[in-house]
Amino acid sequence: MTLLLIGVGIMLLGGVSALLASGSPRLPVALGIGGVAGGAILGLIPTLRVLLGGQTDSLQHAWSVPYGAFSVELDPLSAFFLLPILTVSLLAAIYGGEYLGGLRGARCLGAHHFFFNLLVASMVMVVLARNGVLFLVCWELMSLASFFLVTFEDENESARAAGWTYLVATHIGTAFLLALFVLLGHGGAGALDFAEMAARGQAGLVDGAGLLFALAVVGFGTKAGFMPLHIWLPEAHPAAPSHVSAVMSGVMIKTGIYGLLRVLTFLGAPAPWWGWLLLAIGASSGILGVLFALAQHDLKRLLAYHSVENIGIIALGLGVGLIGMSYGSLPLLVLGFGGGLLHVLNHALFKGLLFLGAGAVLHSTGTREIDHLGGLLKRMPWTGVAFLIGAVAISGLPPLNGFISELLIYLGAYRGATEPRSLAGLAVLAVIPALALIGGHATACFTKAFGIVFLGEPRGSAAARAHETGLAMRVPLVVLATGCVAVGFCAPWTIGVLGGVVAAVSGRPAGELAAELAFASEALSTVVVVSVGFAALVALLAVGRSRLLAGRQVSESVTWDCGYASPSARMQYTASSFAQPLTLLFDKVLRTRRHFAPPRGLFPLSRSTFHTATPDVFQEHVYAPGFAAIDRTLGRLRWLQHGRVQLYVLYIAVTILVLLVWKLG
Amino acid sequence: MQTIALVHPALALVLSPLLLGVINRTKAIFAGRVGQPLAQPYRDLWKLLRKGAVYSRTTTWVFRAAPVVGLAAILLATTLLPLAALPALLAFPGDFILLAYLLGLVRFFAVIGALDTGSSFEGMGASREVQFSALAEPALLLGLAAVAYHTHSLSLSEMISGLSSTHWSQAGAMQALLAASLFMVLLTENARIPVDDPNTHLELTMIHEVMVLDFGGPDFAFILYGASLKLWVFCALLTGLALPVRTGNLWIEVAVAVIAIFGIAVLVGVVESCMARLRLIRIPQLLVGAGLLSVLALVLSLR
């Protein structure tokens, strides 16, 4: 525990000294990265100890804030979220040093490193905090730090707008959390301590648990990106620098999942509808997320929608687990929560990898527009291979990690269908078509992203001039790709770690879950046999193929183009044309806008253009009109805001006076 | 692991190209032609394996890896599949999910292999391939959910051995719906009429054939062999689920199952002879229809 807090201290110290050293071109970078690296490595030691050993570690300290206490604890659930937070942040920090290297001297990087370190430190504290006030303070710090990171390129109108959307969304979420903790903690001193809340939950003393759960879903769901609360993700992730997107999408949104799970331990036995609600949210986030991703041709926006999709998969897992919890079915509980939690880790690995890969593409070509890229695999071989591994993993295909967590959730759903003949079993059957649809469309989307960006011929001069990035940007990609492969091939061993976490979430002793955990790890060991067999077969066939071709005539030519005389790179299929059949099929939902000026006449003189854009349906048809209406209504009160400071002080004085009279009288 | 479980993969390895020969002979008979020899697919493979190769300058290692990865994945799929009373080489709860996702891996690499050539035709085929398979996957997994629910088991071997020979009389409606749905998935996944026409000569209308335009030599042999194995996998799955024959004698049951697999090949040939390819925009309706048949089968299995 002490090591972990020292680690947080080092991160903050690095951040503050980077800010102070802003004048120097190189110093802030070294101080900032050094802070994150030192802190993360120190922090990983206790994290791994708790994950592998299973014991918890806590620390209390008095704090003068009302209802507050500096109470922190490292239990398996916290450690499980801490692991991706520390590793992805460390890798992203190293990557960021080179990514922003071109701006050294031209921009003040001190502030960026300060906020980056603050973000990492506050994420660590969010999962450690065991007091409502401390939790909310860290939560707010995390939101503000990430806001300043999103608006790094604040000279761009779009970055400012994205930051604004994020700020509003995250604070609406926090408002719900505030209400949640006020309702949870009305019980005098110490009532906001998590230990106290958990004890009340266990004893079944919580009233209005359903309302509290709903508040938690909205509050934490806004951070996690549950559809339809997701609208900040596709704005903020493309606007932020890529290593920040990797941290935000890979790990920061998972603090929403963490918060939801932590609050669940305060609420006692769940009602069945909680699980159903999460299943519905998961299915809609997953399916709509992947459909919107398919329609995008901005690489980072596409990845942002995939975060919504993967949060949907996680929610499906948690929903299965909750239904298992409320109906007392252990198979559903273990497989659902286990699959959902493992997907948290997996998504951190492959989404971090994909965002860093997209950042390398952006760094090297200067564009995020998929339709202007192409042929990058030859120019950026390392990035290309890493991106391919990430793409296979996120499509949920064997033998990589994405398949393992999806398999656990599928198994939970099928177990629900076969074991107890109850209503619960029927509900979880809905998981099967949802996951199948998500899987098929994710394959479509990532064959598109990888195929159009990295394969074929360059579609523009920027792509043709692309070059491989330096070591500091390549190493994090390789490490994360290795992680995706390692979790895939070591799947049965992850179950041991997951057991402790599932026990912490469900409040059941680990011994009770042992049989189900053994079931899962047995299934996964056969999967690993298949994966190893697959690797061996690929090697065998590759050797066989090169033996066959050895000594024969192997020549190179142009791609077969049906006899067309002068093909050009612009004739290739694009991201938009590749996805067109599917986006057309789901046009009722996606409402893609097409701007088409066709060529006119036999010898067209004017340029013809074609352009598509798929803005977010919820943003366009729900939030924009809704906020406009609020703006109009509240605009009538605008006379209160006149900008005279003396009168503002008067408002404060009058308010305090009124409160005083009310309290005394 | 039992040695006897190796029989089915061996049968698949040896007999699967013959399925294509049977389909072609069926079509020839319908058209009043003599048709090519039944063993023609074997001769094609042998010819291709002895040839050199020509690669497009646009392509990278992905193009060369795609046939290898695809064949490896489909070879593994045969080890997950039981045949009548022959258990699968590898059976575990959820093996059918792995089977479906291995086929997804085959598709992923086929698609990026096609995109690697930079050709519009191949991009077009790849685009159609991902669309139709994304819609076919729910039909397959929901159909299997119906069987899982019916037989209380989560591995293909148990699911197939859990179906009794009186199954058709007990749950005929569910069985018929399931068989129809799986047959549509089979036609889609194996690029047969009415979804795709393997004999068309116009690149613009092809799906699977156009994706492999640039492959030649051993690479193309891997792809053709992989395609025939995939057809075998689907036929064996459909046979196992739709024709539970229980005689008590292992070898009679295996023989019946193999005959049934070739029967399905004849059926595919009959379908190809009797109808034209659907318009591309109609195919999603067919696949959504297949998915709904699976849902109905599932609802019936809940009784």
Side-chain angles (χ1 to χ4, degrees):
Chain A
M1 194 76 229
T2 328
L3 268 183
L4 201 49
L5 290 179
I6 294 174
V8 171
I10 292 178
M11 285 180 200
L12 290 175
L13 196 70
V16 172
S17 48
L19 189 64
L20 293 176
S22 287
S24 144
R26 287 185 181 277
L27 207 53
V29 182
L31 285 169
I33 298 172
V36 174
I41 290 167
L42 270 187
L44 276 173
I45 300 168
T47 305
L48 288 174
R49 205 164 48 207
V50 169
L51 267 186
L52 301 175
Q55 75 283 38
T56 59
D57 195 0
S58 63
L59 187 92
Q60 255 100 27
H61 217 279
W63 197 22
S64 60
V65 177
Y67 297 102
F70 190 83
S71 164
V72 286
E73 188 187 53
L74 186 61
D75 66 347
L77 178 60
S78 297
F80 187 78
F81 280 84
L82 215 46
L83 182 68
I85 288 176
L86 292 174
T87 40
V88 172
S89 303
L90 170 65
L91 295 169
I94 295 172
Y95 176 98
E98 185 185 328
Y99 185 74
L100 298 178
L103 300 171
R104 242 174 249 161
R107 285 190 77 117
C108 166
L109 291 179
H112 171 78
H113 283 286
F114 170 70
F115 287 119
F116 189 86
N117 289 21
L118 186 63
L119 172 65
V120 180
S122 55
M123 284 192 297
V124 173
M125 288 307 295
V126 160
V127 296
L128 289 182
R130 289 296 181 276
N131 172 276
V133 178
L134 182 65
F135 180 87
L136 283 176
V137 168
C138 298
W139 185 265
E140 189 59 21
L141 271 178
M142 181 176 85
S143 303
L144 287 178
S146 46
F147 164 73
F148 285 106
L149 291 169
V150 168
T151 53
F152 177 70
E153 291 172 21
D154 52 11
E155 67 275 13
N156 288 345
E157 167 71 37
S158 62
R160 290 200 302 273
W164 183 242
T165 309
Y166 172 53
L167 196 67
V168 172
T170 191
H171 279 98
I172 291 175
T174 311
F176 281 87
L177 293 185
L178 211 58
L180 168 73
F181 278 102
V182 166
L183 288 178
L184 265 175
H186 66 94
L192 275 172
D193 278 340
F194 284 8
E196 175 109 346
M197 292 191 217
R200 257 181 294 161
Q202 291 265 313
L205 297 176
V206 188
D207 14 290
L211 173 69
L212 296 176
F213 178 75
L215 285 173
V217 166
V218 177
F220 290 119
T222 313
K223 184 64 88 188
F226 287 166
M227 194 91 77
L229 307 167
H230 68 285
I231 52 146
W232 65 269
L233 279 107
E235 306 299 324
H237 287 324
S242 300
H243 59 294
V244 175
S245 320
V247 170
M248 286 178 69
S249 181
V251 290
M252 192 196 74
I253 60 172
K254 309 295 163 35
T255 56
I257 300 293
Y258 165 80
L260 191 59
L261 288 173
R262 181 61 74 193
V263 167
L264 272 179
T265 63
F266 305 155
L267 299 182
W273 67 266
W274 301 5
W276 300 67
L277 179 67
L278 276 190
L279 283 188
I281 289 174
S284 68
S285 305
I287 295 170
L288 291 176
V290 75
L291 285 180
F292 274 101
L294 205 51
Q296 306 304 322
H297 38 77
D298 173 330
L299 187 54
K300 287 178 75 180
R301 214 174 141 84
L302 178 149
L303 291 178
Y305 272 112
H306 269 285
S307 296
V308 178
E309 175 229 311
N310 279 283
I311 286 289
I313 295 177
I314 294 169
L316 283 175
L318 301 186
V320 171
L322 264 180
I323 287 182
M325 214 165 143
S326 51
Y327 287 100
S329 158
L330 281 180
L332 295 192
L333 188 155
V334 170
L335 292 168
F337 279 133
L341 283 165
L342 188 59
H343 205 72
V344 167
L345 177 69
N346 288 340
H347 182 246
L349 288 172
F350 53 64
K351 188 48 72 64
L353 168 61
L354 289 166
F355 261 118
L356 295 184
V361 169
L362 174 62
H363 188 71
S364 168
T365 62
T367 179
R368 303 193 303 250
E369 182 60 54
I370 299 177
D371 289 344
H372 295 169
L373 298 167
L376 291 185
L377 188 60
K378 283 181 179 163
R379 292 158 184 83
M380 308 173 72
W382 288 89
T383 309
V385 172
F387 198 93
L388 175 60
I389 291 175
V392 175
I394 199 173
S395 305
L397 295 174
L400 299 182
N401 58 352
F403 175 70
I404 304 295
S405 38
E406 287 191 30
L407 177 71
L408 288 180
I409 300 174
Y410 264 123
L411 272 180
Y414 280 103
R415 283 297 287 275
T418 51
E419 295 273 305
R421 303 238 151 188
S422 67
L423 207 56
L426 291 185
V428 290
L429 278 180
V431 171
I432 296 163
L435 273 181
L437 266 178
I438 294 169
H441 286 83
T443 304
C445 196
F446 274 93
T447 47
K448 163 184 123 172
F450 178 76
I452 307 294
V453 172
F454 286 95
L455 303 176
E457 294 287 341
R459 290 174 179 76
S461 57
R465 284 195 308 269
H467 53 86
E468 185 56 280
T469 52
L471 207 59
M473 280 171 73
R474 247 181 295 154
V475 170
L477 285 176
V478 173
V479 173
L480 286 170
T482 315
C484 290
V485 178
V487 174
F489 279 84
C490 305
W493 292 280
T494 59
I495 294 295
V497 174
L498 281 174
V501 188
V502 173
V505 173
S506 62
R508 294 191 183 234
E512 224 175 280
L513 313 175
E516 288 308 320
L517 291 169
F519 168 81
S521 88
E522 204 180 307
L524 290 185
S525 16
T526 321
V527 173
V528 171
V529 171
V530 175
S531 302
V532 172
F534 173 71
L537 261 178
V538 168
L540 200 71
L541 287 172
V543 170
R545 174 185 164 281
S546 54
R547 280 277 177 82
L548 280 174
L549 283 176
R552 294 192 193 151
Q553 193 187 1
V554 177
S555 52
E556 294 213 318
S557 176
V558 292
T559 297
W560 165 244
D561 44 19
C562 296
Y564 188 73
S566 54
S568 98
R570 293 193 58 200
M571 289 167 56
Q572 294 173 93
Y573 241 47
T574 60
S576 314
S577 48
F578 185 79
Q580 189 262 356
L582 275 170
T583 50
L584 197 66
L585 189 63
F586 293 101
D587 198 46
K588 286 274 186 298
V589 189
L590 296 172
R591 300 176 191 227
T592 300
R593 292 205 193 111
R594 294 177 181 80
H595 308 277
F596 183 32
R600 293 189 187 284
L602 290 176
F603 301 97
L605 292 173
S606 60
R607 278 175 72 93
S608 64
T609 58
F610 180 73
H611 173 72
T612 62
T614 311
D616 198 284
V617 164
F618 292 98
Q619 166 79 351
E620 294 265 300
H621 298 282
V622 181
Y623 292 106
F627 276 95
I630 292 172
D631 191 42
R632 270 197 308 279
T633 320
L634 295 183
R636 304 212 181 96
L637 295 175
R638 205 159 272 159
W639 56 271
L640 281 168
Q641 295 280 4
H642 35 59
R644 287 192 208 110
V645 179
Q646 313 89 303
L647 285 180
Y648 288 174
V649 176
L650 182 69
Y651 293 163
I652 294 171
V654 169
T655 312
I656 290 176
L657 209 65
V658 169
L659 285 176
L660 216 69
V661 170
W662 178 57
K663 185 73 189 167
L664 294 178
Chain B
M1 203 196 301
Q2 302 141 290
T3 336
I4 204 164
L6 286 167
V7 173
H8 179 218
L11 280 175
L13 290 182
V14 176
L15 291 179
S16 63
L18 193 58
L19 285 176
L20 297 176
V22 169
I23 294 178
N24 284 335
R25 178 55 66 86
T26 313
K27 286 165 75 176
I29 291 171
F30 262 79
R33 291 182 281 117
V34 178
Q36 47 179 242
L38 277 174
Q40 188 62 37
Y42 293 96
R43 294 182 189 176
D44 289 345
L45 288 174
W46 182 241
K47 178 187 72 184
L48 286 166
L49 282 174
R50 283 180 304 153
K51 280 184 176 287
V54 182
Y55 292 106
S56 158
R57 273 185 278 279
T58 305
T59 58
T60 60
W61 62 266
V62 168
F63 185 79
R64 291 154 183 76
V68 170
V69 174
L71 184 56
I74 201 80
L75 281 172
L76 275 171
T78 62
T79 66
L80 294 170
L81 211 60
L83 184 72
L86 284 176
L89 195 57
L90 296 168
F92 64 96
D95 50 5
F96 59 96
I97 304 168
L98 180 61
L99 177 74
Y101 276 68
L102 276 174
L103 297 173
L105 186 68
V106 177
R107 187 181 312 130
F108 192 100
F109 274 84
V111 166
I112 60 173
L115 289 173
D116 200 15
T117 60
S119 153
S120 293
F121 293 118
E122 290 175 48
M124 199 178 291
S127 161
R128 291 167 184 167
E129 169 86 2
V130 293
Q131 183 198 9
F132 300 146
S133 54
L135 297 173
E137 198 154 313
L140 176 63
L141 284 169
L142 275 171
L144 290 170
V147 187
Y149 201 88
H150 192 82
T151 60
H152 295 258
S153 49
L154 286 171
S155 88
L156 276 172
S157 298
E158 285 176 30
M159 273 154 80
I160 287 179
S161 60
L163 297 170
S164 61
S165 45
T166 54
H167 186 58
W168 271 95
S169 54
Q170 286 163 2
M174 171 210 151
Q175 195 66 6
L177 290 167
L178 180 70
S181 167
L182 283 182
F183 188 63
M184 285 193 236
V185 174
L186 179 149
L187 293 175
T188 311
E189 290 283 351
N190 293 289
R192 312 304 309 192
I193 285 177
V195 175
D196 187 11
D197 184 355
N199 290 347
T200 179
H201 294 288
L202 186 62
E203 289 87 344
L204 280 175
T205 62
M206 301 176 186
I207 303 174
H208 185 258
E209 292 300 303
V210 77
M211 283 170 67
V212 298
L213 268 183
D214 270 275
F215 288 96
D219 291 331
F220 194 47
F222 282 12
I223 287 176
L224 286 184
Y225 189 48
S228 67
L229 277 172
K230 190 173 173 186
L231 183 59
W232 179 279
V233 164
F234 274 95
C235 289
L237 186 65
L238 185 54
T239 310
L241 294 177
L243 287 175
V245 176
R246 302 284 176 262
T247 60
N249 183 323
L250 174 68
W251 298 109
I252 294 179
E253 287 178 25
V254 170
V256 170
V258 171
I259 293 169
I261 287 175
F262 282 99
I264 294 173
V266 172
L267 190 61
V268 171
V270 172
V271 170
E272 296 213 351
S273 308
C274 296
M275 67 187 291
R277 195 176 58 75
L278 286 176
R279 286 164 65 203
L280 285 169
I281 51 166
R282 293 264 173 255
I283 295 171
Q285 297 172 3
L286 179 81
L287 293 172
V288 172
L292 291 177
L293 292 185
S294 286
V295 171
L296 285 178
L298 183 57
V299 170
L300 286 178
S301 76
L302 297 181
R303 281 186 310 164

